[in-house]
PDB file of all heavy atoms in Angstrom:
ATOM      1  N   TYR A1199     -10.928  13.194  -0.458  1.00  0.00           N
ATOM      2  CA  TYR A1199     -10.365  14.542  -0.332  1.00  0.00           C
ATOM      3  C   TYR A1199      -8.866  14.530  -0.646  1.00  0.00           C
ATOM      4  O   TYR A1199      -8.120  13.684  -0.131  1.00  0.00           O
ATOM      5  CB  TYR A1199     -10.588  15.060   1.083  1.00  0.00           C
ATOM      6  CG  TYR A1199      -9.974  16.414   1.334  1.00  0.00           C
ATOM      7  CD1 TYR A1199     -10.626  17.582   0.945  1.00  0.00           C
ATOM      8  CD2 TYR A1199      -8.729  16.528   1.947  1.00  0.00           C
ATOM      9  CE1 TYR A1199     -10.058  18.817   1.158  1.00  0.00           C
ATOM     10  CE2 TYR A1199      -8.159  17.767   2.162  1.00  0.00           C
ATOM     11  CZ  TYR A1199      -8.827  18.901   1.765  1.00  0.00           C
ATOM     12  OH  TYR A1199      -8.265  20.136   1.975  1.00  0.00           O
ATOM     13  N   SER A1201      -5.474  17.460  -1.454  1.00  0.00           N
ATOM     14  CA  SER A1201      -5.103  18.870  -1.382  1.00  0.00           C
ATOM     15  C   SER A1201      -3.625  19.053  -1.663  1.00  0.00           C
ATOM     16  O   SER A1201      -2.838  18.098  -1.572  1.00  0.00           O
ATOM     17  CB  SER A1201      -5.441  19.433   0.002  1.00  0.00           C
ATOM     18  OG  SER A1201      -4.792  18.683   1.013  1.00  0.00           O
ATOM     19  N   TYR A1203      -0.393  21.646  -0.531  1.00  0.00           N
ATOM     20  CA  TYR A1203       0.111  22.656   0.374  1.00  0.00           C
ATOM     21  C   TYR A1203       1.518  23.055  -0.064  1.00  0.00           C
ATOM     22  O   TYR A1203       2.251  22.277  -0.669  1.00  0.00           O
ATOM     23  CB  TYR A1203       0.203  22.110   1.807  1.00  0.00           C
ATOM     24  CG  TYR A1203      -1.117  21.957   2.502  1.00  0.00           C
ATOM     25  CD1 TYR A1203      -1.859  20.785   2.380  1.00  0.00           C
ATOM     26  CD2 TYR A1203      -1.619  22.968   3.310  1.00  0.00           C
ATOM     27  CE1 TYR A1203      -3.067  20.636   3.037  1.00  0.00           C
ATOM     28  CE2 TYR A1203      -2.837  22.832   3.968  1.00  0.00           C
ATOM     29  CZ  TYR A1203      -3.544  21.663   3.829  1.00  0.00           C
ATOM     30  OH  TYR A1203      -4.744  21.514   4.471  1.00  0.00           O
ATOM     31  N   ALA A1260      -1.692  15.996   0.029  1.00  0.00           N
ATOM     32  CA  ALA A1260      -2.274  15.290   1.168  1.00  0.00           C
ATOM     33  C   ALA A1260      -3.634  14.743   0.779  1.00  0.00           C
ATOM     34  O   ALA A1260      -4.315  15.297  -0.090  1.00  0.00           O
ATOM     35  CB  ALA A1260      -2.405  16.220   2.367  1.00  0.00           C
ATOM     36  N   SER A1261      -4.034  13.668   1.432  1.00  0.00           N
ATOM     37  CA  SER A1261      -5.361  13.114   1.178  1.00  0.00           C
ATOM     38  C   SER A1261      -5.998  12.693   2.496  1.00  0.00           C
ATOM     39  O   SER A1261      -5.319  12.502   3.511  1.00  0.00           O
ATOM     40  CB  SER A1261      -5.290  11.924   0.215  1.00  0.00           C
ATOM     41  OG  SER A1261      -4.723  10.792   0.845  1.00  0.00           O
ATOM     42  N   SER A1262      -7.319  12.552   2.450  1.00  0.00           N
ATOM     43  CA  SER A1262      -8.061  12.191   3.655  1.00  0.00           C
ATOM     44  C   SER A1262      -9.386  11.571   3.260  1.00  0.00           C
ATOM     45  O   SER A1262      -9.897  11.803   2.156  1.00  0.00           O
ATOM     46  CB  SER A1262      -8.302  13.453   4.498  1.00  0.00           C
ATOM     47  OG  SER A1262      -9.099  13.178   5.615  1.00  0.00           O
ATOM     48  N   TYR A1268     -10.608  12.774  10.285  1.00  0.00           N
ATOM     49  CA  TYR A1268      -9.650  11.683  10.207  1.00  0.00           C
ATOM     50  C   TYR A1268      -8.205  12.147  10.161  1.00  0.00           C
ATOM     51  O   TYR A1268      -7.295  11.380  10.400  1.00  0.00           O
ATOM     52  CB  TYR A1268      -9.932  10.817   8.970  1.00  0.00           C
ATOM     53  CG  TYR A1268     -11.063   9.830   9.157  1.00  0.00           C
ATOM     54  CD1 TYR A1268     -12.366  10.171   8.841  1.00  0.00           C
ATOM     55  CD2 TYR A1268     -10.818   8.558   9.644  1.00  0.00           C
ATOM     56  CE1 TYR A1268     -13.398   9.268   9.011  1.00  0.00           C
ATOM     57  CE2 TYR A1268     -11.840   7.651   9.819  1.00  0.00           C
ATOM     58  CZ  TYR A1268     -13.123   8.009   9.495  1.00  0.00           C
ATOM     59  OH  TYR A1268     -14.142   7.109   9.661  1.00  0.00           O
ATOM     60  N   GLY A1269      -7.950  13.385   9.787  1.00  0.00           N
ATOM     61  CA  GLY A1269      -6.563  13.810   9.607  1.00  0.00           C
ATOM     62  C   GLY A1269      -6.068  13.431   8.219  1.00  0.00           C
ATOM     63  O   GLY A1269      -6.711  12.693   7.486  1.00  0.00           O
ATOM     64  N   TYR A1270      -4.926  13.933   7.867  1.00  0.00           N
ATOM     65  CA  TYR A1270      -4.399  13.783   6.512  1.00  0.00           C
ATOM     66  C   TYR A1270      -3.220  12.832   6.445  1.00  0.00           C
ATOM     67  O   TYR A1270      -2.450  12.710   7.396  1.00  0.00           O
ATOM     68  CB  TYR A1270      -3.921  15.137   5.977  1.00  0.00           C
ATOM     69  CG  TYR A1270      -4.989  16.190   5.870  1.00  0.00           C
ATOM     70  CD1 TYR A1270      -4.658  17.541   5.957  1.00  0.00           C
ATOM     71  CD2 TYR A1270      -6.321  15.860   5.677  1.00  0.00           C
ATOM     72  CE1 TYR A1270      -5.620  18.517   5.858  1.00  0.00           C
ATOM     73  CE2 TYR A1270      -7.288  16.837   5.588  1.00  0.00           C
ATOM     74  CZ  TYR A1270      -6.930  18.161   5.673  1.00  0.00           C
ATOM     75  OH  TYR A1270      -7.894  19.121   5.576  1.00  0.00           O
ATOM     76  N   THR A1271      -3.074  12.193   5.276  1.00  0.00           N
ATOM     77  CA  THR A1271      -1.859  11.464   4.923  1.00  0.00           C
ATOM     78  C   THR A1271      -1.134  12.289   3.873  1.00  0.00           C
ATOM     79  O   THR A1271      -1.734  12.664   2.856  1.00  0.00           O
ATOM     80  CB  THR A1271      -2.195  10.080   4.348  1.00  0.00           C
ATOM     81  OG1 THR A1271      -2.920   9.335   5.323  1.00  0.00           O
ATOM     82  CG2 THR A1271      -0.915   9.332   3.991  1.00  0.00           C
ATOM     83  N   PHE A1272       0.141  12.556   4.117  1.00  0.00           N
ATOM     84  CA  PHE A1272       0.922  13.400   3.217  1.00  0.00           C
ATOM     85  C   PHE A1272       1.840  12.564   2.332  1.00  0.00           C
ATOM     86  O   PHE A1272       2.319  11.498   2.735  1.00  0.00           O
ATOM     87  CB  PHE A1272       1.793  14.369   4.014  1.00  0.00           C
ATOM     88  CG  PHE A1272       1.051  15.543   4.569  1.00  0.00           C
ATOM     89  CD1 PHE A1272       0.397  15.453   5.787  1.00  0.00           C
ATOM     90  CD2 PHE A1272       0.992  16.737   3.879  1.00  0.00           C
ATOM     91  CE1 PHE A1272      -0.301  16.528   6.314  1.00  0.00           C
ATOM     92  CE2 PHE A1272       0.302  17.825   4.397  1.00  0.00           C
ATOM     93  CZ  PHE A1272      -0.341  17.717   5.610  1.00  0.00           C
TER      94      PHE A1272
ATOM     95  N   TYR B1446       0.555  16.978  14.619  1.00  0.00           N
ATOM     96  CA  TYR B1446       1.361  16.260  13.639  1.00  0.00           C
ATOM     97  C   TYR B1446       2.821  16.370  14.054  1.00  0.00           C
ATOM     98  O   TYR B1446       3.231  17.339  14.690  1.00  0.00           O
ATOM     99  CB  TYR B1446       1.207  16.868  12.235  1.00  0.00           C
ATOM    100  CG  TYR B1446      -0.063  16.484  11.515  1.00  0.00           C
ATOM    101  CD1 TYR B1446      -1.286  17.010  11.895  1.00  0.00           C
ATOM    102  CD2 TYR B1446      -0.030  15.619  10.424  1.00  0.00           C
ATOM    103  CE1 TYR B1446      -2.451  16.666  11.228  1.00  0.00           C
ATOM    104  CE2 TYR B1446      -1.188  15.277   9.743  1.00  0.00           C
ATOM    105  CZ  TYR B1446      -2.390  15.802  10.155  1.00  0.00           C
ATOM    106  OH  TYR B1446      -3.540  15.467   9.490  1.00  0.00           O
ATOM    107  N   LEU B1456       0.582  12.364  11.014  1.00  0.00           N
ATOM    108  CA  LEU B1456      -0.397  12.517  12.079  1.00  0.00           C
ATOM    109  C   LEU B1456       0.085  11.820  13.344  1.00  0.00           C
ATOM    110  O   LEU B1456       0.401  10.629  13.335  1.00  0.00           O
ATOM    111  CB  LEU B1456      -1.739  11.933  11.635  1.00  0.00           C
ATOM    112  CG  LEU B1456      -2.878  12.031  12.642  1.00  0.00           C
ATOM    113  CD1 LEU B1456      -3.226  13.485  12.934  1.00  0.00           C
ATOM    114  CD2 LEU B1456      -4.107  11.273  12.120  1.00  0.00           C
ATOM    115  N   ASN B1501      -9.010  22.400  12.342  1.00  0.00           N
ATOM    116  CA  ASN B1501      -9.946  22.390  11.215  1.00  0.00           C
ATOM    117  C   ASN B1501     -11.184  23.180  11.599  1.00  0.00           C
ATOM    118  O   ASN B1501     -11.786  22.932  12.645  1.00  0.00           O
ATOM    119  CB  ASN B1501     -10.314  20.957  10.855  1.00  0.00           C
ATOM    120  CG  ASN B1501     -11.311  20.910   9.715  1.00  0.00           C
ATOM    121  OD1 ASN B1501     -12.517  21.059   9.926  1.00  0.00           O
ATOM    122  ND2 ASN B1501     -10.816  20.745   8.511  1.00  0.00           N
ATOM    123  N   PHE B1505     -13.216  21.145   5.499  1.00  0.00           N
ATOM    124  CA  PHE B1505     -11.835  20.898   5.099  1.00  0.00           C
ATOM    125  C   PHE B1505     -10.977  22.157   5.109  1.00  0.00           C
ATOM    126  O   PHE B1505      -9.941  22.208   4.454  1.00  0.00           O
ATOM    127  CB  PHE B1505     -11.756  20.217   3.725  1.00  0.00           C
ATOM    128  CG  PHE B1505     -12.179  18.788   3.771  1.00  0.00           C
ATOM    129  CD1 PHE B1505     -13.419  18.403   3.315  1.00  0.00           C
ATOM    130  CD2 PHE B1505     -11.342  17.823   4.305  1.00  0.00           C
ATOM    131  CE1 PHE B1505     -13.822  17.083   3.380  1.00  0.00           C
ATOM    132  CE2 PHE B1505     -11.735  16.498   4.373  1.00  0.00           C
ATOM    133  CZ  PHE B1505     -12.977  16.130   3.907  1.00  0.00           C
ATOM    134  N   THR B1507      -8.434  23.672   6.840  1.00  0.00           N
ATOM    135  CA  THR B1507      -7.494  23.227   7.861  1.00  0.00           C
ATOM    136  C   THR B1507      -6.333  24.192   7.938  1.00  0.00           C
ATOM    137  O   THR B1507      -5.721  24.521   6.919  1.00  0.00           O
ATOM    138  CB  THR B1507      -6.993  21.813   7.527  1.00  0.00           C
ATOM    139  OG1 THR B1507      -8.117  20.924   7.515  1.00  0.00           O
ATOM    140  CG2 THR B1507      -5.990  21.332   8.554  1.00  0.00           C
ATOM    141  N   PHE B1509      -2.633  25.050   9.619  1.00  0.00           N
ATOM    142  CA  PHE B1509      -1.457  24.481  10.273  1.00  0.00           C
ATOM    143  C   PHE B1509      -0.697  25.577  11.003  1.00  0.00           C
ATOM    144  O   PHE B1509      -0.448  26.651  10.446  1.00  0.00           O
ATOM    145  CB  PHE B1509      -0.528  23.849   9.238  1.00  0.00           C
ATOM    146  CG  PHE B1509      -1.014  22.534   8.703  1.00  0.00           C
ATOM    147  CD1 PHE B1509      -2.025  22.476   7.764  1.00  0.00           C
ATOM    148  CD2 PHE B1509      -0.443  21.354   9.137  1.00  0.00           C
ATOM    149  CE1 PHE B1509      -2.474  21.269   7.266  1.00  0.00           C
ATOM    150  CE2 PHE B1509      -0.881  20.128   8.642  1.00  0.00           C
ATOM    151  CZ  PHE B1509      -1.891  20.089   7.704  1.00  0.00           C
TER     152      PHE B1509
END
Side-chain angles (χ1 to χ4, degrees):
Chain A
Y1199 177 82
S1201 57
Y1203 286 88
S1261 72
S1262 175
Y1268 280 91
Y1270 299 153
T1271 300
F1272 282 86
Chain B
Y1446 282 73
L1456 181 63
N1501 179 278
F1505 287 103
T1507 299
F1509 285 77

